[in-house]
């Protein structure tokens, strides 16, 4: 079996490949292909991937790195898509342009997320078309290219019959943190219910071995005034400080820089709305003013990533090429790769395992539109997701979701039609933007920054 990774030059690729290789018997994988339009970057990542497969794990999985579509997709059973169109240079613009206008600067939420989405829609459609042309007839695309909600809506409209499942690992990262805070050793024993849109949802139930963990979790968050495990909070002086590799203060990434405020925000939201545990990204919508205030418009999370994870990876590869020595800390492994590989196992082996996926609503959330792309639990088998019907959403959450949903639908329509007015309506409707005037100013700046990436708007 062949697995193709689109965006093979990503900093996440090595960790994902390791997760695949550790499950090689269940996946029966014989070949992994890396596909990227940036040959130089991908070739460097391929050096590390080759070491993982053939030196570290000593397995016989064949590795191919290519920039050719037919070579990448031919007879592939799975396509893992993790594109970052425009790379970190454009992410930096996504974050800094809105901040200049007093709006949230975040890569997947608000104006930044809409800009990123408009860059990603048509490249994702090309991935679908190439898979249809070259891959096995029963291929599956597992897409975790951000912003997943906008990409999922565009795929629904433009390629409704594509064999694609859109997923996100942020809820899983939250569950990892919850497990650590609650001293839960086997996180696979945690069962949760969740509803929302991607990066815009709520946990309604978290159970461990049949026990309701929400009361203890609420108490923990209230006492600590943050959702982070005790072990993460030991260095009080460093909390919230931007990571600096040269001074040796990188620390746990969740306690550093902008991430600290995200986990702190879980406490602040639950002080007012304690019934459900919010996705961390809801901070950008419910505390937009506060997040702008503690953001540095000259140094955003894009800079944090470039200075740490990105730099560490390529410095580590250069060191390996020069000395033959490798530091396993330079590549990212864990929930991100495990989640995707486990989902592929469920599809291939028809396990009916439970996952959180982004899928068309079709009545799953009774008081949301039938065609909304929602994020809900589902059982995964060979035919795709079998969604688990949820209760009607309370008015507060439904109102927020409808505003965000319509924003995303307008954006996709505007992008497809080349309509400036509809894209402006989407920017104006977004909860992170204070007025129509500001929405227009941000949009006009972003049109200039995204020249060559966006369709022409008229």
């Amino acid at each position: 079996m062949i697995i193709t990774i689109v965006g093979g030059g990503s900093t996440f690729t090595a960790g994902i490949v390791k997760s695949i290789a550790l499950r090689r018997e269940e996946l029966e994988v014989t070949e992994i292909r890396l596909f990227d339009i940036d040959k130089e970057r991908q070739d460097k990542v391929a050096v590390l991937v080759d070491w993982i497969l053939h030196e570290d794990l000593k397995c016989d999985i064949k590795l191919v790195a290519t920039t050719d579509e037919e070579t990448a997709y031919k007879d592939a059973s799975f396509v893992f898509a993790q594109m970052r169109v425009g790379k970190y240079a454009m992410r930096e613009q996504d974050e800094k342009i809105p901040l200049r206008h007093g709006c949230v600067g975040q890569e997947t939420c608000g104006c930044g997320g809409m800009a990123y989405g408009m860059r990603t829609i048509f490249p994702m459609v090309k991935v679908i078309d190439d898979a249809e042309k070259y891959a096995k007839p029963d291929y599956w695309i597992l897409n975790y290219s951000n912003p997943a909600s906008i990409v999922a809506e565009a795929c629904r409209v433009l390629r409704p019959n594509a064999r694609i499942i859109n997923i996100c690992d942020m809820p899983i990262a939250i569950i990892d943190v919850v497990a650590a805070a609650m001293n839960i050793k086997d996180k696979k024993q945690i069962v949760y219910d969740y509803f929302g849109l991607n990066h815009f949802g709520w946990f309604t139930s978290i159970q461990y071995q049949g026990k309701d963990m929400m009361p203890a979790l609420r108490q923990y968050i209230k006492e600590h005034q943050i959702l982070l495990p005790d072990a993460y909070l030991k260095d009080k002086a460093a909390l919230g400080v931007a990571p600096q590799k040269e001074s040796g203060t990188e620390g746990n990434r969740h306690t550093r820089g902008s991430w600290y405020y995200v986990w702190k925000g879980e406490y602040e939201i639950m002080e007012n709305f304690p019934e459900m545990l919010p996705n961390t990204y809801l901070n950008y919508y419910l505390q937009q003013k506060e997040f702008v205030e503690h953001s540095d418009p000259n140094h955003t999370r894009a800079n944090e990533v470039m200075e740490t994870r990105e730099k560490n990876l390529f410095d580590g590869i250069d060191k390996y090429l020069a000395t033959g020595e490798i530091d396993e800390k330079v590549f990212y492994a864990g929930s991100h790769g495990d989640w995707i590989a486990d989902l592929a196992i469920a599809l291939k082996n028809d396990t009916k395992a439970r996952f959180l996926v982004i899928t068309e609503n079709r009545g799953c959330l009774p008081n949301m539109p039938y065609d909304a792309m929602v994020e809900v639990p589902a059982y995964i088998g060979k035919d795709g997701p079998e969604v688990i019907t949820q209760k009607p959403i309370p008015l507060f959450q439904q109102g927020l979701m409808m505003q965000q949903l319509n924003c995303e639908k307008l954006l996709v329509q505007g992008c497809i039609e080349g309509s400036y007015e509809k894209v402006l309506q989407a920017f104006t409707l977004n909860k992170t933007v204070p007025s129509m005037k500001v929405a227009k100013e941000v949009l006009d700046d972003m049109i200039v920054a995204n020249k060559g990436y966006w369709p022409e708007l008229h």
Side-chain angles (χ1 to χ4, degrees):
M1 191 186 75
I2 297 164
I3 295 177
T4 299
I5 299 177
V6 178
S10 167
T11 54
F12 291 104
T13 297
I16 292 166
V17 168
K18 185 167 186 177
S19 294
I20 293 168
L22 289 173
R23 294 159 175 78
R24 56 190 177 274
E25 291 183 7
E26 293 164 287
L27 284 169
E28 297 180 290
V29 59
T30 56
E31 184 174 337
I32 294 174
R33 296 178 187 160
L34 309 184
F35 173 65
D36 205 301
I37 60 173
D38 186 334
K39 184 179 188 302
E40 182 181 1
R41 182 184 172 97
Q42 176 168 263
D43 284 349
K44 280 200 166 187
V45 171
V47 168
L48 179 56
V49 170
D50 184 73
W51 178 86
I52 290 168
L53 289 175
H54 304 131
E55 298 295 328
D56 184 28
L57 300 180
K58 301 196 183 322
C59 60
D60 59 359
I61 296 173
K62 181 181 177 182
L63 175 65
V64 174
T66 183
T67 58
D68 176 70
E69 285 89 349
E70 184 173 1
T71 304
Y73 295 104
K74 185 70 173 175
D75 294 327
S77 293
F78 285 100
V79 176
F80 293 1
Q82 54 165 2
M83 294 182 295
R84 180 176 289 282
V85 181
K87 296 183 236 179
Y88 284 105
M90 289 309 299
R91 174 178 177 172
E92 192 174 1
Q93 295 300 308
D94 293 342
E95 295 171 353
K96 290 183 177 179
I97 290 172
L99 281 170
R100 289 205 300 265
H101 296 276
C103 299
V104 166
Q106 211 281 333
E107 64 156 339
T108 63
C109 301
C111 302
M114 289 187 279
Y116 188 9
M118 287 181 66
R119 290 198 302 274
T120 310
I121 286 172
F122 292 109
M124 180 53 63
V125 169
K126 188 175 189 314
V127 170
I128 293 170
D129 291 347
D130 287 341
E132 282 283 334
K133 185 175 181 180
Y134 298 117
K136 284 194 170 182
D138 60 349
Y139 76 88
W140 280 105
I141 298 172
L142 305 186
N143 175 53
Y144 40 103
S145 303
N146 272 320
S149 207
I150 291 169
V151 172
E153 170 63 12
C155 293
R156 182 193 71 81
V157 173
L158 293 171
R159 296 294 185 271
N161 298 317
R163 293 174 63 83
I164 183 169
I165 299 176
N166 295 279
I167 56 175
C168 176
D169 70 333
M170 192 62 225
I172 307 311
I174 295 170
I175 290 296
D176 285 351
V177 170
V178 167
M182 296 285 97
N183 293 313
I184 294 172
K185 304 303 180 188
D186 184 5
K187 62 188 179 187
K188 289 190 174 181
Q189 298 271 343
I190 295 175
V191 177
Y192 57 85
D193 277 308
Y194 182 99
F195 72 86
L197 312 173
N198 180 239
H199 288 184
F200 204 100
W202 293 262
F203 293 89
T204 57
S205 167
I206 299 175
Q207 295 190 346
Y208 175 63
Q209 295 181 337
K211 181 182 178 182
D212 181 7
M213 299 302 296
M214 288 294 275
L217 182 60
R218 289 190 194 98
Q219 186 61 32
Y220 181 95
I221 294 170
K222 190 174 187 67
E223 286 179 7
H224 290 73
Q225 298 187 13
I226 196 168
L227 174 55
L228 282 177
D230 283 326
Y232 289 18
L233 302 171
K234 289 177 180 177
D235 186 1
K236 300 285 186 184
L239 295 177
V241 178
Q244 295 179 358
K245 186 177 190 299
E246 60 274 12
S247 64
T249 62
E250 288 177 272
N252 185 293
R253 71 186 182 98
H254 291 291
T255 69
R256 312 298 300 184
S258 55
W259 271 111
Y260 169 78
Y261 295 102
V262 168
W263 296 107
K264 179 85 172 163
E266 292 289 273
Y267 159 73
E268 292 160 350
I269 293 174
M270 290 191 76
E271 276 293 277
N272 293 300
F273 310 121
E275 185 178 353
M276 303 176 191
L277 178 69
N279 189 304
T280 50
Y281 285 93
L282 280 166
N283 280 290
Y284 300 112
Y285 299 96
L286 299 181
Q287 302 202 92
Q288 56 272 60
K289 177 177 178 290
E290 292 79 6
F291 268 66
V292 169
E293 287 171 352
H294 62 58
S295 294
D296 181 349
N298 300 309
H299 193 271
T300 63
R301 192 178 294 169
N303 300 112
E304 293 175 11
V305 172
M306 285 188 283
E307 293 161 3
T308 53
R309 187 176 75 223
E310 176 95 350
K311 187 176 188 302
N312 292 347
L313 178 72
F314 289 101
D315 283 354
I317 293 170
D318 288 342
K319 179 182 176 182
Y320 173 63
L321 289 170
T323 68
E325 298 175 9
I326 196 152
D327 178 2
E328 292 189 36
K329 293 179 182 176
V330 304
F331 64 85
Y332 179 84
S335 296
H336 188 81
D338 293 346
W339 176 245
I340 299 148
D342 287 342
L343 180 62
I345 288 170
L347 288 162
K348 176 186 173 295
N349 298 330
D350 198 30
T351 66
K352 300 297 194 292
R354 183 175 171 135
F355 286 83
L356 194 66
V357 297
I358 302 160
T359 186
E360 194 168 5
N361 183 31
R362 298 182 180 178
C364 172
L365 300 177
N367 53 342
M368 287 295 291
Y370 187 85
D371 65 353
M373 295 303 290
V374 297
E375 193 166 29
V376 290
Y379 297 113
I380 303 295
K382 61 182 173 60
D383 297 320
E386 298 174 15
V387 296
I388 301 169
T389 302
Q390 305 293 306
K391 295 177 181 177
I393 303 166
L395 284 177
F396 175 67
Q397 285 79 10
Q398 186 213 28
L400 289 170
M401 284 175 63
M402 283 302 307
Q403 181 176 5
Q404 181 66 11
L405 176 69
N406 289 346
C407 164
E408 292 168 354
K409 283 182 172 290
L410 278 166
L411 185 85
V412 169
Q413 289 175 15
C415 186
I416 293 170
E417 298 168 14
S419 168
Y420 178 91
E421 182 178 353
K422 284 190 175 179
V423 174
L424 177 57
Q425 287 175 343
F427 274 64
T428 304
L429 189 59
N430 196 274
K431 190 167 168 54
T432 67
V433 180
S435 74
M436 177 182 64
K437 180 176 181 291
V438 173
K440 182 171 173 38
E441 290 171 352
V442 175
L443 174 57
D444 288 347
D445 281 359
M446 284 187 153
I447 288 173
V448 174
N450 283 274
K451 187 172 179 59
Y453 290 108
W454 282 9
E456 292 287 332
L457 301 179
H458 306 284

